[in-house]
Amino acid sequence: MKKSTTKLFIGLDVHKDSIAVAYAPEPRGAEIISLGSFGTRPCDIDKFLKKLLAHSCNLLFTYEAGPCGYWLYRLLTKKGYPCLVVAPSLIPKRPGDRVKTDRRDAIMLARTLRAGDLTTVYVPNVQDEAIRDLTRSREDAKRDLRAAKHRLKSFLLRQDIRYEGKANWSLKHLRWLATVTCETSAQQFVFQEYVHAITERNERVERIEAELLAQVDSWRLKPVVTAIQAMRGIQFITAATLISELGDITRFDNPKQLMAFLGLTSSEHSSGNKRKRGGITKTGNSHARRALVEGAWSYRFPAKISRQLQCRLELVPKEIQAISWKAQVRLCKRFYRLTTSGKHRNKVVVAIAREMAAFVWAIAMQTPIKGV
């Protein structure tokens, strides 16, 4: 084996405390070798790198995307070795294979990498991932806030204490909560704890949103965040969520690729002359898909430029303003047409969200990115 010319395809089965390593030499018929399991410390990684370099200096690594993140990808690329992070759900697997071990997984990754059958995922840089962590922490905080509100409302319902107003959690409702008195001191204590929990979670959401606003201000993708806010239904939080989850949208060659990445395209099961199409695939990024679907509800009203939207439009060029108005006219008409034809509103909203993705792609293509 010539060290300078032979390419090694290395599969890494990465876990919290261990990494199983296997490599496949470039010739298709060559035997795949397992190097065993190593630790996750830098010295452990240097150890298996040394063993691999004894066979060849032409190395290509791969491992599955998972809860361990991208630290190994960044470490290997920093050392000068190419590394691919692949989608676990798109790895070819034999249905009759009923044995799964770390060693076999590493061998399987090395084999499929050599065959060229792996689908890579987009790896964000450190700053992009930091903004994404912020937006996801806000989602967690909002989920905790909803749960706290639900607990309080359930408690009041058990005590037959009812609010007669219309809007919950309005200023009037909060003033009413301050007047609530329970029958026992224990129940009053529980009530006050639930109220304090809601107050604390509200403050947590506000802190995260303030930090997100400050961090996005110096982010390289801030121009895109500002530009897509020209779209109706996309304000700062939705825009920051979309771009932090999608990264550089210009990596998609056309809008259909973006729609497929968001899982907004129809599933299909066709055979011969039979063609059957189902619901959306729901693959890809669920955070970005949810943000788009929420924004799509705003198109149920007639096309109109509100005062808030006008303020956002003033920050973008005329070309993007034209795309925004074109999108609003088209999507509002489409929402009305699909609804009046008898389509379920949830299906209509998903269809609108799919077309919104195309307009977001068009705006991103018109927007230069910092440092690019």
Side-chain angles (χ1 to χ4, degrees):
M1 183 183 296
K2 293 183 179 180
K3 179 178 177 181
S4 59
T5 60
T6 303
K7 188 173 186 177
L8 297 185
F9 299 89
I10 301 102
L12 306 173
D13 190 46
V14 182
H15 296 277
K16 176 184 176 182
D17 299 316
S18 65
I19 301 174
V21 183
Y23 69 89
E26 189 169 14
R28 282 294 183 95
E31 181 185 3
I32 302 175
I33 308 298
S34 172
L35 293 182
S37 185
F38 297 82
T40 56
R41 297 172 301 174
C43 60
D44 298 320
I45 295 170
D46 290 337
K47 184 177 179 180
F48 72 71
L49 281 175
K50 185 177 180 180
K51 290 189 175 183
L52 292 168
L53 289 171
H55 299 279
S56 174
C57 59
N58 191 1
L59 309 177
L60 176 61
F61 293 87
T62 188
Y63 69 95
E64 299 178 43
C68 293
Y70 305 114
W71 67 268
L72 183 56
Y73 166 87
R74 293 182 179 125
L75 179 61
L76 291 173
T77 52
K78 187 177 180 180
K79 289 178 178 291
Y81 303 110
C83 180
L84 305 178
V85 184
V86 299
S89 60
L90 300 179
I91 297 176
K93 295 179 181 178
R94 291 176 291 188
D97 192 354
R98 302 296 182 184
V99 180
K100 183 186 183 304
T101 63
D102 294 349
R103 176 181 176 275
R104 289 171 68 94
D105 287 346
I107 291 174
M108 178 267 298
L109 282 171
R111 180 187 299 112
T112 49
L113 177 63
R114 183 173 64 182
D117 293 335
L118 294 176
T119 303
T120 60
V121 300
Y122 172 73
V123 180
N125 63 35
V126 176
Q127 188 185 20
D128 293 357
E129 188 176 16
I131 300 295
R132 189 184 70 180
D133 288 338
L134 264 178
T135 59
R136 290 187 180 182
S137 69
R138 180 189 174 275
E139 287 184 20
D140 295 337
K142 292 289 285 186
R143 193 179 300 114
D144 293 342
L145 176 60
R146 286 194 297 271
K149 289 179 176 179
H150 180 71
R151 293 188 196 101
L152 176 59
K153 292 177 71 174
S154 299
F155 173 79
L156 293 176
L157 183 61
R158 291 197 303 271
Q159 310 307 317
D160 195 28
I161 301 175
R162 303 172 186 271
Y163 175 60
E164 302 299 333
K166 294 182 179 179
N168 285 330
W169 313 113
S170 62
L171 184 60
K172 185 178 179 181
H173 180 230
L174 296 176
R175 288 172 178 168
W176 173 80
L177 285 175
T179 65
V180 170
T181 304
C182 300
E183 291 185 5
T184 67
S185 59
Q187 290 171 331
Q188 188 68 32
F189 176 82
V190 171
F191 169 75
Q192 291 301 147
E193 284 298 313
Y194 282 146
V195 172
H196 290 328
I198 293 172
T199 303
E200 291 170 358
R201 283 160 175 76
N202 266 318
E203 293 173 351
R204 178 186 172 197
V205 171
E206 291 173 0
R207 288 195 305 270
I208 294 174
E209 289 180 351
E211 182 64 20
L212 180 61
L213 184 63
Q215 292 290 339
V216 169
D217 191 54
S218 59
W219 190 25
R220 70 182 184 95
L221 294 176
K222 181 192 175 183
V224 187
V225 174
T226 302
I228 67 171
Q229 289 183 65
M231 291 281 294
R232 181 175 179 174
I234 299 181
Q235 297 187 34
F236 173 74
I237 295 298
T238 303
T241 300
L242 271 175
I243 302 305
S244 65
E245 295 293 341
L246 299 177
D248 184 4
I249 299 182
T250 58
R251 63 192 171 92
F252 298 101
D253 295 331
N254 54 65
K256 289 185 178 180
Q257 290 183 1
L258 177 57
M259 295 173 188
F261 178 80
L262 292 168
L264 290 170
T265 53
S266 300
S267 58
E268 185 173 350
H269 185 79
S270 301
S271 179
N273 295 326
K274 182 180 177 181
R275 186 181 182 190
K276 183 179 179 182
R277 304 189 72 178
I280 59 174
T281 59
K282 293 186 179 180
T283 57
N285 195 294
S286 60
H287 301 274
R289 182 172 63 250
R290 177 196 55 78
L292 267 181
V293 170
E294 286 185 0
W297 281 103
S298 64
Y299 291 93
R300 67 188 186 274
F301 303 111
K304 176 186 176 182
I305 296 180
S306 64
R307 185 179 64 179
Q308 293 84 356
L309 181 56
Q310 179 60 41
C311 293
R312 303 201 300 270
L313 287 172
E314 293 172 357
L315 302 175
V316 299
K318 295 291 185 181
E319 296 81 5
I320 295 177
Q321 294 181 23
I323 295 174
S324 170
W325 180 245
K326 179 182 178 181
Q328 188 172 170
V329 171
R330 173 180 171 84
L331 297 181
C332 289
K333 287 182 178 179
R334 183 168 172 78
F335 198 108
Y336 176 78
R337 185 170 64 252
L338 291 175
T339 304
T340 53
S341 67
K343 295 285 185 181
H344 194 282
R345 298 195 85 182
N346 289 348
K347 292 184 178 180
V348 175
V349 167
V350 171
I352 298 301
R354 181 166 54 247
E355 291 204 30
M356 281 180 69
F359 286 106
V360 167
W361 178 86
I363 290 175
M365 295 298 290
Q366 296 284 336
T367 308
I369 299 175
K370 290 180 180 180
V372 178

